[in-house]
Amino acid sequence: MQLARQQGVRISPAESMDALQAAQAVGLDSPNLLRESMAMTLAKTIEEEAICKACFDQFFLQQTNDGQTEQNASSSDEKTTLNDEQQLAEVLASDEKTQELLDQSDFIQALLQQDQAEIDAQMAEALGTLPLKQLSFFTQKGLFTRRLLDALGEAPIRQTLAELTEDNPAKHALKNVQEAMQAQAKQAIERAFELNAAGQHDQLMAELLRKTKLSAVERRHAERLQGLIQKLARKLTQKHRKRPKKTRRGQLHMIKTLRRGIANDGVMFDTFWRRTEKRKPQVMAVCDVSGSVSAYAKFLLMLLYYLQDVLPRTRSFAFAHDLGEITSLFQQHPVEKAIEIANWRYGGATDYGSSLDKFWDIAGQDITKQTTVIILGDARNNYGDHRFERLLEISERCRRIIWLNPEGKNQWGSGDSEMLRYQRVCHLAHECNTLGQLETIVDELITLVR
């Protein structure tokens, strides 16, 4: 269950108890039946079911990448090397030093006798002496392999090899035993890493990506980052989903109620209630898709797309040299394809002045006091007309303007940046260039608009 939790499966204490009861009910005779029952009691989604089954195979069956268990994969190798191990034992017994080493090491004897049960028992005892919870990075595998070899008693082997002469046949036999021990130790550390550190490694990578500038994320991490955005969207959706509330009729409308009761001698058979119509909030996201900030716009649009459950009235706009609405693209294409089309249509040199005018022409009449306008861009206008008065008109008509700038605040106003000018009419202006900052700002945004 710990392995499944590391892979992102949410398991409560009550579900753990259910899984144990299911295991007790089905028994341990059928691994497949036990595997299905564990997945059925622990998983809540199809994705979690697949993770639970994979964790079961990895932990109990020690499944390899080729789909075979390690025990089955290595059984044929053990049969082919059995005669070699017998010869090694005879050669080692012929030398006094190596014979003394054999008498002192139970693990070497288990290797030579091909006693897999004893090998596993000795390996488990040695692993128990290591702080495996500290095994978090793949670069630590070598260190832990060396510690495991020391726990298995490889040091006397190295000392004996240094004392034996090169022409001594026992030295070559002992080297073969050392190589077999090292292979066993390496395999054990590999499995320990998969069981104890794979989830921690994913968590560390996720935390690293949250703090890395979105423009600096390597292409090979794009799929992982998209998964983080989806997970972030589910988290925010769960946090801000509307809770069921008791029905409220509103305030009693006494005038209408009394007037209707006149015909009934003042008995108020019919009641009327005052109801306040609550207008739904609207979000308009205006994103700069020029080369300098296109990566940030991509992830903001992606996050807003995944938040449709809590922000259903969201309209998206993209601009650089021109501006256009791209809301329909997300209805016609997958999110990645829609953003790619938007970059192709509206990318180029940035012109904030003409883009603000175009935004006013397209959506100005739809802006109300329930509208929140989000502008994502670095406010670098290439020394063009800033059209500050147009942004002022938008600010007076909407509820709030939130500006997200990927550049650091120390760069605002430098060169061709108009950020300090635009900031004067923005209700909120944030530096936003990492996924962690984006999460904080969008969380605050949802709180404000709902």
Side-chain angles (χ1 to χ4, degrees), residues 8 138 192 277 286 322 326 417:
F138 69 92
E277 181 181 358
V286 186
D322 190 16
I326 59 174
S417 174

Short mmCIF file of all heavy atoms in Angstrom, two decimals, residues 8 138 192 277 286 322 326 417:
data_model
loop_
_atom_site.label_atom_id
_atom_site.label_comp_id
_atom_site.label_asym_id
_atom_site.label_seq_id
_atom_site.Cartn_x
_atom_site.Cartn_y
_atom_site.Cartn_z
N GLY A 8 0.82 7.73 -6.21
CA GLY A 8 -0.25 8.71 -6.33
C GLY A 8 -1.64 8.19 -6.03
O GLY A 8 -2.62 8.92 -6.21
N PHE A 138 18.66 7.92 -8.00
CA PHE A 138 19.30 6.79 -8.67
C PHE A 138 20.82 6.86 -8.54
O PHE A 138 21.51 5.84 -8.66
CB PHE A 138 18.88 6.75 -10.14
CG PHE A 138 19.43 7.88 -10.97
CD1 PHE A 138 20.62 7.76 -11.66
CD2 PHE A 138 18.74 9.08 -11.06
CE1 PHE A 138 21.12 8.80 -12.42
CE2 PHE A 138 19.23 10.13 -11.81
CZ PHE A 138 20.42 9.99 -12.50
N ALA A 192 15.00 -2.64 -4.50
CA ALA A 192 14.74 -1.78 -3.35
C ALA A 192 14.49 -0.34 -3.79
O ALA A 192 13.64 0.36 -3.22
CB ALA A 192 15.91 -1.85 -2.36
N GLU A 277 -31.40 37.56 -7.78
CA GLU A 277 -30.77 36.85 -8.89
C GLU A 277 -29.25 37.03 -8.81
O GLU A 277 -28.75 38.15 -8.79
CB GLU A 277 -31.28 37.39 -10.22
CG GLU A 277 -30.67 36.68 -11.42
CD GLU A 277 -31.16 37.26 -12.73
OE1 GLU A 277 -32.01 38.18 -12.69
OE2 GLU A 277 -30.71 36.79 -13.78
N VAL A 286 -6.66 36.75 -21.67
CA VAL A 286 -6.02 37.34 -22.83
C VAL A 286 -4.53 37.03 -22.72
O VAL A 286 -3.84 37.56 -21.85
CB VAL A 286 -6.26 38.87 -22.89
CG1 VAL A 286 -5.70 39.44 -24.18
CG2 VAL A 286 -7.74 39.17 -22.75
N ASP A 322 -1.59 40.31 -33.76
CA ASP A 322 -3.03 40.42 -33.93
C ASP A 322 -3.69 39.69 -32.77
O ASP A 322 -3.05 38.89 -32.07
CB ASP A 322 -3.47 39.81 -35.27
CG ASP A 322 -4.92 40.12 -35.61
OD1 ASP A 322 -5.48 41.04 -34.99
OD2 ASP A 322 -5.48 39.42 -36.48
N ILE A 326 -10.09 32.36 -29.18
CA ILE A 326 -9.75 30.95 -29.46
C ILE A 326 -10.59 30.00 -28.61
O ILE A 326 -10.27 28.82 -28.51
CB ILE A 326 -8.25 30.69 -29.20
CG1 ILE A 326 -7.90 31.02 -27.74
CG2 ILE A 326 -7.38 31.49 -30.15
CD1 ILE A 326 -6.46 30.65 -27.37
N SER A 417 9.42 47.84 -21.88
CA SER A 417 8.35 47.32 -21.02
C SER A 417 7.42 48.45 -20.59
O SER A 417 7.87 49.48 -20.09
CB SER A 417 8.94 46.63 -19.78
OG SER A 417 7.92 46.26 -18.89
#
